[in-house]
Each structure stands twice: as structure tokens, then as C-alpha cells.
Amino acid sequence: MNYQSSPVIKKLSRPVLTYRDIPYKAALIFNAGVTKFNGKYVMVFRNDYGSMDEHKLEGTNIGLAYSDNGIDWKVEPKPCFVLHDDEIRRAYDPRLTVIDGRCYMCFAVDTNHGLRGGIAVTDDFDKFEILSLSAPDNRNMVLFPEKIGGYFCRLERPMPVYSRGRDRFDTWLSYSPDFKFWGESKLVLKVEDVPFANDKVGPGAPPVKTEKGWLATFHGVIRDESMGKNGWEASWKKKYYAGIMLLDLDDPSKIIGMSKEPLIATDQAYEVENGFRCDVIFPGGMLLEDSGEVKIYYGASDTYECMATADVNDLLKLCLD
Ligand code: BMA
């Protein structure tokens, strides 16, 4: 089944950021986190660097860009965050949330002993203090912008292997008093709840507060064994869609409503052709403007960073109808 983007979604006619915009070695620019901090739009983006022409990748870092309007971005001269040592291979897929005037960055970490989810805090995007790294396997973490019931909250996607069979990964919520210790974990969104997923569902952008609830994007993944070559790789058998749901303001483990159709699907040429992994939409940033416009930032085909807009009331309606 080929799903389409919701009619409430307006995509920009081009990616907001590609390797061409980066003043240092860059190839795949995608899965960014975006927020507003100190009066500016800030983006941290994943850069899998190497050669676009030869389809060769050498490493990963996280780059930094600023914007006055959320559409035109200026990239800083060097990457802002790199993790690499004997144990840690790389950090990637950053997400940003401002809490009490400080900027928190969640990220995924590949290590020699599993995939971990990290949380760091920064005031200037130069110095980062790492507050926690989860036990493996867990990642795709996003923080809510305020305490709920006296605790900080994060959505996350652990990866159970023995109990659910291969790749049946659901979205969970955990609480923390201090960003270091996480617990009271609750199951939020199950793969089987989402018609456009048969493989995994994970958090997208950090949730946005509205009068009706926490508006939260997520990714829904369909594995289709009949798919073959669909990008740089010899074979790529998955499609990623962005979905949208509404979580209870006081108990964000409770889903108030969810759109049964994807919010964003691939359709633009740069989303379906010549990418590293085509047909992937991976939302990582969502901003609610005073006008009611919602800006949604997403990685497309693991190759470009893109943006779409929608009206907040249309998004709420999608969740509640
Ligand atoms: C996931 C993550 C994402 C990526 C997606 C599609 O497992 O690795 O970073 O965008 O796969 O390849």
C-alpha cells in the first residue's frame, strides 16, 4: 500500500539543508533537531560524511545551523558535536528541547556493546555536558519541554529482541527527577496501533504543548519483503512515514487521539530518487508559531533535511476525528 501525505501538509518545494550547504566535509544531511533558542532558530543535524558521487561514507558528526525564519539556514564553520572513542562509534539523530532556558539534546549512540540513547545539555552549542546514556538497546529519545507531575519526561524506543520477535519496536515513556535517572516506564504507542506500521513506531520531534494535549509526531515503519534496491544500498525493504498523535497533558503516556493515516509520506523527487535509503520520512523537529502555523522538520531518504508546514488546528483535528 502506498500512502500519501495528509492534505493539511504543505511541503517546501526544496530541502531546507543538503550537503551543498555545508562548509566542511559532508554527504548525507538529515534527521535534524530544531528549536528556538535565544531569539534564533537553531538546528543540529546529522552529517554522514563521505562522497556523494562514489556513494561512500566515512563517519558521522553533528553539525549546527542558525536561521532567522526557520527556512533559510546558515551553517556554522565546523561540527558542534562528535562522540568517538574506543567504545563509542558515533552519535547521531539529535533532538532539541528547551527546558527552563537551557537547551537539551537527545541523541543516539552506536557503541561496541549496543545502541544507547544520550542526553546532553548546552547553553551555547559549543560546550555540551552529557547527563545520561541509557542501557542498550534504546534510542530515538525526545524530551517534553516542561516537567509533568513533578518529573521530566521522555519518549523513547527501546528495542526488545527476544520477546517480540525481530523488529517489533514500540514507543515508551519514562520519567526522571534530574535527566540522569529514568524510570516508571510506560508503554505508549504499539506497532499494532498504527495502520501504516508493521515493523516499528518511534518518537519523532519533541512534543508541542497545545490546549488539547501534547501534539507528538512519530515514525511508523513498514517492512515489505517484496521491495529490493531503493537507494544506494543493495536492498532496502522499509518505508518510513511520519504520523501524528495527541497525548494527555497530565498523563502523556495516554494517547487521546491519533491519525490513522500518515501525516507525511514521500512524494517529492528528492525524497524518492537517488537517496541513501529512499522512501524514508523521519520527523525530528516541530515548532508551533504564534500564528498557529506548525513547522515540521524531517529527514528525507536519509539524505536531505526537509520542512513542511500545517495549521495547528488541522493537526489537532486529524488526531481527534
Ligand atoms: C533508523 C535510524 C534512522 C534512520 C532510519 C532509516 O533505524 O537509523 O537514523 O533514518 O533507520 O534508515
Side-chain angles (χ1 to χ4, degrees), residues 33-51:
V34 182
T35 192
K36 274 188 195 168
F37 193 57
N38 294 339
K40 285 227 168 215
Y41 294 82
V42 190
M43 178 190 288
V44 283
F45 56 86
R46 171 172 174 179
N47 171 26
D48 286 5
Y49 55 88
S51 160

Side-chain angles (χ1 to χ4, degrees), residues 110-293:
D110 290 354
T111 79
N112 295 338
H113 296 88
L115 305 177
R116 307 177 69 181
I119 302 175
V121 64
T122 185
D123 299 307
D124 54 12
F125 292 91
D126 178 31
K127 292 177 288 303
F128 288 83
E129 182 193 348
I130 294 179
L131 303 173
S132 58
L133 291 173
S134 74
D137 276 351
N138 198 345
R139 66 176 176 191
N140 293 119
M141 288 156 185
V142 299
L143 292 168
F144 288 72
E146 61 188 64
K147 280 185 173 171
I148 304 169
Y151 291 94
F152 299 109
C153 298
R154 76 178 179 200
L155 294 171
E156 59 196 348
R157 199 202 66 198
M159 299 180 225
V161 179
Y162 285 155
S163 50
R164 299 260 292 144
R166 233 193 119 232
D167 278 29
R168 294 285 283 176
F169 306 155
D170 313 289
T171 300
W172 290 68
L173 180 101
S174 292
Y175 295 91
S176 173
D178 56 5
F179 300 106
K180 285 179 184 288
F181 298 96
W182 291 91
E184 293 279 333
S185 302
K186 290 183 181 151
L187 179 60
V188 180
L189 181 68
K190 307 184 276 293
V191 174
E192 53 272 36
D193 292 340
V194 180
F196 50 95
N198 65 12
D199 190 71
K200 47 190 170 180
V201 286
V208 160
K209 194 174 193 180
T210 73
E211 272 175 22
K212 301 231 159 75
W214 293 104
L215 201 52
T217 52
F218 60 89
H219 59 263
V221 182
I222 291 188
R223 177 189 281 267
D224 176 355
E225 290 304 333
S226 70
M227 276 169 68
K229 187 160 171 56
N230 191 24
W232 294 15
E233 292 184 314
S235 144
W236 173 240
K237 297 189 180 295
K238 293 179 193 167
K239 287 187 180 185
Y240 278 61
Y241 298 99
I244 187 109
M245 62 181 169
L246 193 66
L247 305 175
D248 187 271
L249 282 180
D250 301 318
D251 177 3
S253 70
K254 231 169 72 192
I255 300 173
I256 300 175
M258 183 198 83
S259 173
K260 297 271 184 230
E261 306 263 322
L263 180 66
I264 308 176
T266 49
D267 44 41
Q268 307 294 305
Y270 53 83
E271 294 172 344
V272 295
E273 289 166 11
N274 304 320
F276 175 64
R277 289 173 169 171
C278 294
D279 282 317
V280 172
I281 299 282
F282 204 77
M286 176 161 65
L287 302 176
L288 172 56
E289 306 288 10
D290 293 341
S291 63
E293 181 194 77

